[in-house]
């Protein structure tokens, strides 16, 4: 069956990094893997063409695709637009439209890049964590919410932290399935000592665990998890948590690696359709200069092969090609160190394609 992939280059460095990811995928296509790429605009690029950051044209292509590969959106020229027309709204729009409830954020630190982290190399070298964050529920979306004047006449703000059983079950299944594909260790992060919502979360995760006897499940309070990620991050394999805790912990974990140009991400829906994109933004400061690091985007393409298309071998092949190129000393500016070979965005693409 042909893999239908929607390609959304977006703004800033988006088109440059997407070009390199497509070159890597073309290697597999030329060897006979059936892939079909359809390009569409998102974000500022879409606003310029269609007057909307997630126009109908793009919606149709994304809905028909099995997976979406995205560069990045945003740029200073769009900062004064009305909020609903800003590029970032395109991202929110596509996430909602495709029902993407599971956010996967790997934090991987290749031993060659251990000096890029602000932590001691021995603490982070070889780090490989996957954070699974629930993306569509929790206090970010719970009702009621707002600002009001309370009974004693004082103004107050309020939000509602809420998770339904089905929401917890489906994200728990995603996390256990991923743990099965990795080191079979899952840590569920909660604040069950204080928050009933997360006490309930824990109860459901324990129930889902019965279906995965091979996975070693542990539980950790979020404050301790924040500390453990800095103290001894290599103790973790897969972590699963709700929207707000995941928002914070996934950013914390990504900075263990110290190199924003290396961080991939995926957001999945119930049919494993996914949006795959680098964790970084559109880097307007280096856009159009062929300086961007394309590795986060290429790693996102590898995640697409693994999680939507179940092709572990192809994903590993891309990851190994990247490891080889790093081991051979090739670095874009963001990860450059004295004595290494400095390359441009397209030259990094050349090296990875050659190493495939
Ligand atoms: P950013 O991630 O774009 O850039 C932060 C810094 O990291 C910059 O110095 C940039 O040059 C560098 N950087 C980022 N990616 C890089 C790469 N691949 N290679 C080398 N260096 C890289 O964050 P920002 O500057 O806060 O935001 C810029 C724009 O991107 C804004 O419009 C913002 O809204 C948008 N944004 C989009 C996304 C997304 O598309 N998912 C995410 C975050 C920010």
């Amino acid at each position: 069956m042909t893999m239908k992939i929607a390609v959304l280059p977006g703004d800033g460095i988006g088109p440059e990094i997407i070009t390199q990811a497509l070159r890597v995928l073309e290697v597999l296509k030329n060897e006979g893997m059936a892939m079909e790429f359809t390009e569409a605009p998102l974000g500022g690029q879409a606003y310029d063409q269609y007057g909307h950051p997630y126009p109908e044209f793009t919606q149709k292509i994304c809905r028909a695709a099995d997976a979406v590969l995205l560069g990045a959106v945003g740029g200073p020229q769009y900062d004064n637009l009305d909020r609903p027309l800003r590029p970032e709204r395109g991202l929110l729009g596509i996430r909602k439209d495709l029902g993407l409830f599971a956010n996967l954020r790997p934090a991987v630190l290749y031993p060659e890049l251990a000096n890029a982290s602000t932590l001691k190399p021995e603490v982070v070298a070889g780090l490989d964590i996957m954070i699974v964050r629930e993306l569509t529920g929790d206090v970010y979306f719970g009702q009621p919410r707002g600002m009001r004047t309370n009974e004693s006449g004082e103004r107050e703000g309020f939000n509602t932290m809420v998770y339904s059983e089905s929401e917890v079950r489906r994200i728990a299944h995603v996390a256990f399935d991923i743990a099965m594909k990795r080191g079979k260790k899952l840590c569920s992060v909660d604040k069950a000592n204080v928050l009933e919502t997360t006490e309930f979360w824990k109860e459901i995760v324990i129930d889902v665990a019965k279906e995965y006897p091979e996975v070693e499940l542990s539980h950790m309070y979020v404050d301790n998890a924040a500390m453990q990620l800095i103290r001894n991050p290599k103790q973790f394999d897969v972590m699963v948590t709700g929207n707000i805790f995941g928002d914070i912990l996934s950013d914390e974990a990504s900075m263990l690696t110290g190199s924003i140009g290396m961080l991939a991400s995926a957001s999945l829906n119930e049919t494993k359709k996914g949006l795959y994109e680098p964790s970084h933004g559109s880097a307007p400061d280096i856009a159009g200069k062929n300086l961007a690091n394309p590795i986060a985007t290429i790693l996102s393409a590898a995640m697409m092969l693994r999680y939507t298309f179940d092709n572990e071998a192809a994903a590993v092949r891309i990851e190994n090609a990247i490891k080889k190129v790093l081991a051979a000393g090739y670095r874009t500016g963001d990860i450059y160190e004295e004595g290494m070979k400095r390359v441009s965005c397209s030259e990094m693409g050349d090296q990875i394609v050659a190493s495939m």
Side-chain angles (χ1 to χ4, degrees):
M1 228 177 46
T2 303
M3 307 173 183
K4 285 197 282 181
I5 301 165
V7 178
L8 316 181
D11 308 317
I13 58 170
E16 301 165 49
I17 52 182
I18 280 287
T19 299
Q20 302 314 317
L22 287 178
R23 288 180 65 203
V24 171
L25 291 173
E26 292 281 352
V27 172
L28 301 172
K29 187 175 172 182
N30 291 337
E31 290 173 359
M33 195 179 277
M35 288 188 217
E36 181 186 288
F37 303 109
T38 312
E39 212 175 286
L42 185 80
Q45 186 199 19
Y47 173 77
D48 290 339
Q49 281 178 38
Y50 292 94
H52 194 278
Y54 183 46
E56 226 178 279
F57 176 82
T58 304
Q59 290 172 23
K60 277 191 190 145
I61 288 172
C62 292
R63 285 178 197 155
D66 303 312
V68 180
L69 187 62
L70 167 68
V73 300
Q77 67 272 45
Y78 306 109
D79 284 350
N80 295 323
L81 289 176
D82 285 346
R83 273 186 192 284
L85 297 177
R86 290 200 194 153
E88 294 74 11
R89 283 297 172 101
L91 268 182
L92 294 179
I94 191 171
R95 285 186 186 140
K96 184 151 188 260
D97 188 31
L98 303 182
L100 306 173
F101 69 90
N103 186 220
L104 277 45
R105 290 267 300 263
V108 176
L109 184 57
Y110 297 107
E112 293 84 4
L113 300 182
N115 287 327
S117 175
T118 50
L119 297 191
K120 292 181 189 141
E122 64 267 29
V123 177
V124 288
L127 180 81
D128 184 355
I129 305 177
M130 174 68 81
I131 299 201
V132 180
R133 165 189 172 193
E134 202 288 330
L135 207 54
T136 56
D138 207 350
V139 67
Y140 288 177
F141 294 93
Q143 294 289 346
R145 61 191 293 157
M147 294 178 210
R148 64 190 169 197
T149 301
N150 68 19
E151 281 157 13
S152 42
E154 192 184 3
R155 269 169 42 83
E156 64 184 16
F158 61 101
N159 292 85
T160 303
M161 182 178 253
V162 56
Y163 265 121
S164 67
E165 183 168 341
S166 58
E167 284 176 314
V168 183
R169 278 192 187 279
R170 67 179 184 176
I171 192 74
H173 276 289
V174 169
F176 278 106
D177 287 341
I178 289 172
M180 285 297 291
K181 287 188 178 183
R182 293 174 43 108
K184 298 189 177 164
K185 272 173 64 184
L186 177 64
C187 178
S188 170
V189 177
D190 60 57
K191 188 74 183 169
N193 51 342
V194 181
L195 297 168
E196 285 81 356
T197 311
T198 76
E199 189 183 340
F200 176 73
W201 167 286
K202 182 174 176 180
E203 194 182 294
I204 302 301
V205 171
I206 289 172
D207 194 48
V208 174
K210 292 177 194 150
E211 297 169 49
Y212 300 87
E214 284 179 57
V215 176
E216 180 195 319
L217 174 67
S218 61
H219 305 273
M220 199 177 273
Y221 295 143
V222 63
D223 42 349
N224 188 23
M227 287 196 289
Q228 294 301 327
L229 273 173
I230 302 294
R231 195 184 71 81
N232 177 19
K234 285 193 263 184
Q235 70 185 281
F236 296 112
D237 174 19
V238 183
M239 300 173 91
V240 63
T241 189
N243 204 345
I244 187 167
F245 298 162
D247 189 0
I248 298 162
L249 293 181
S250 61
D251 268 12
E252 184 190 359
S254 70
M255 276 305 103
L256 297 173
T257 73
S259 41
I260 196 168
M262 300 288 300
L263 298 165
S265 85
S267 306
L268 305 179
N269 76 6
E270 255 154 316
T271 64
K272 287 202 179 161
K273 179 166 177 158
L275 172 72
Y276 297 86
E277 55 176 329
S279 295
H280 58 71
S282 57
D285 51 331
I286 56 167
K289 297 182 181 160
N290 198 20
L291 290 175
N293 184 349
I295 293 180
T297 316
I298 297 171
L299 286 171
S300 302
M303 287 184 83
M304 174 179 81
L305 294 168
R306 174 175 291 124
Y307 292 112
T308 290
F309 299 115
D310 256 321
N311 193 332
E312 178 68 19
V316 169
R317 185 157 161 223
I318 293 176
E319 289 159 357
N320 283 343
I322 290 170
K323 280 183 199 159
K324 258 198 260 167
V325 168
L326 292 173
Y330 295 99
R331 303 281 188 275
T332 44
D334 58 312
I335 51 173
Y336 180 76
E337 274 181 84
E338 194 68 26
M340 297 291 142
K341 300 169 202 157
R342 189 191 286 266
V343 290
S344 65
C345 179
S346 57
E347 286 165 343
M348 183 56 96
D350 294 343
Q351 291 301 327
I352 295 169
V353 165
S355 134
M356 288 282 289

